[in-house]
């Protein structure tokens, strides 16, 4: 995701379909029978959740402060 978010700065391209990250993570989790930790970056169920308090206030004022990618970009739109 760093390469995708900063492609122009880094001058790199991977061709990875990032919208498949969440579904692939879930498939691996189901196949291996090992749950994905809720706080796992990018693919965890809490990756795009925001609790109350100063963090949520900052997110509501400027979402890119805490969320540099949209859930749709990693296939997490349904979360």
């Amino acid at each position: 995701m760093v390469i995708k978010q900063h492609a122009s700065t880094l001058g790199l391209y991977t061709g990875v379909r990032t919208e498949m990250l969440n579904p692939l993570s879930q498939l691996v989790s189901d196949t291996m029978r090992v749950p994905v930790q809720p706080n796992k970056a990018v693919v965890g169920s809490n990756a795009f959740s925001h609790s109350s308090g100063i963090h949520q206030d900052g997110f509501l004022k400027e979402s890119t402060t805490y969320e540099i990618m949209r859930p749709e970009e990693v296939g997490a739109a349904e979360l």
Side-chain angles (χ1 to χ4, degrees):
M1 289 309 297
V2 169
I3 292 172
K4 181 176 182 173
Q5 296 304 108
H6 301 285
S8 60
T9 306
L10 298 172
L12 301 171
Y13 174 76
T14 65
V16 172
R17 292 178 47 206
T18 59
E19 69 278 0
M20 298 304 293
L21 288 174
N22 200 285
L24 179 60
S25 174
Q26 192 58 54
L27 176 64
V28 171
S29 173
D30 293 345
T31 302
M32 301 303 293
R33 295 187 178 118
V34 177
V36 176
Q37 297 172 353
N39 61 337
K40 185 75 172 167
V42 181
V43 295
S45 60
N46 293 338
F48 295 97
S49 63
H50 303 282
S51 300
S52 61
I54 209 159
H55 174 93
Q56 188 177 34
D57 180 62
F59 175 77
L60 293 172
K61 288 178 180 171
E62 179 52 55
S63 63
T64 59
T65 302
Y66 292 99
E67 211 169 84
I68 63 166
M69 64 193 99
R70 294 183 333 274
E72 300 83 23
E73 291 180 275
V74 294
E78 68 281 353
L79 295 178

